[in-house]
Amino acid sequence: PSADGSSCVCRAGFVMNDRRSYCADVDECAATGTDGVCDAAENVTTNCCNQFSGCDNTPGGFDCLPCMAGFIGNVRRHDIAAI
């Protein structure tokens, strides 16, 4: 908080930098979910894309890319199967 009691927080997908001068994007693709399943708590700060799909970091979030060649299924869960 500042001297006048006001404070600023970063929106979801961003964290305050060390000098508290701006909000930096979190690279969700650099981390993985604890159980590989997306949920509200993990979806904000961790990559829960399936290991057989890719991850694209976006400002404040991430997108799971389509399944890799030879796989089909849901790119955000463990239910991808080889074809």
Side-chain angles (χ1 to χ4, degrees):
S2 64
D4 66 1
S6 64
S7 63
C8 295
V9 295
C10 298
R11 63 187 170 121
F14 293 85
V15 293
M16 189 68 69
N17 74 329
D18 292 338
R19 297 181 66 198
R20 303 194 55 80
S21 58
Y22 66 91
C23 294
D25 179 46
V26 172
D27 184 358
E28 291 88 356
C29 295
T32 56
T34 57
D35 57 7
V37 176
C38 293
D39 58 45
E42 288 189 322
N43 196 24
V44 174
T45 58
T46 60
N47 161 20
C48 48
C49 300
N50 189 283
Q51 64 179 332
F52 299 112
S53 70
C55 181
D56 183 25
N57 189 53
T58 61
F62 66 95
D63 292 319
C64 295
L65 301 175
C67 294
M68 295 176 186
F71 293 90
I72 59 171
N74 182 340
V75 297
R76 297 194 105 187
R77 306 186 90 180
H78 278 297
D79 58 359
I80 288 183
I83 54 173

